[in-house]
Amino acid sequence: LPEPQSPILPLVVGSEVVSVELSDALRSAGILVPAIRFPTVPRDKARLRITLTAGHRREDVERLLAVIAEAMQRLGIRPG
């Protein structure tokens, strides 16, 4: 993830389909992270909108990252 500049952390995935699949996988795990896609962002710049608050604990962030990593692996998505 990029160095935080605000409570909103965009995770750019590119594909609109992939962003929705990742968002759905997170929702299935009880984590709300919406997919943001065209026309809100340019085509091929779809992203997940991760919002952190002071109420999130380190364990919450670690779980978020683990669920994202597992979903990416299951979907055959390579980071970067």
Side-chain angles (χ1 to χ4, degrees):
L1 294 173
E3 182 70 29
Q5 301 297 316
S6 79
I8 299 170
L9 302 171
L11 176 60
V12 179
V13 272
S15 165
E16 294 177 16
V17 171
V18 170
S19 67
V20 170
E21 289 175 338
L22 286 172
S23 178
D24 289 345
L26 287 160
R27 185 173 32 254
S28 293
I31 302 170
L32 178 61
V33 176
I36 308 300
R37 38 189 203 231
F38 182 83
T40 306
V41 295
R43 289 202 188 277
D44 300 320
K45 298 289 184 181
R47 61 203 65 202
L48 296 179
R49 181 181 179 177
I50 300 167
T51 305
L52 299 177
T53 71
H56 288 107
R57 300 169 305 182
R58 178 181 197 91
E59 296 82 20
D60 298 324
V61 176
E62 289 171 355
R63 181 167 176 261
L64 167 70
L65 295 174
V67 172
I68 290 172
E70 187 276 328
M72 289 177 71
Q73 183 177 13
R74 187 171 35 80
L75 295 168
I77 303 165
R78 297 186 54 172

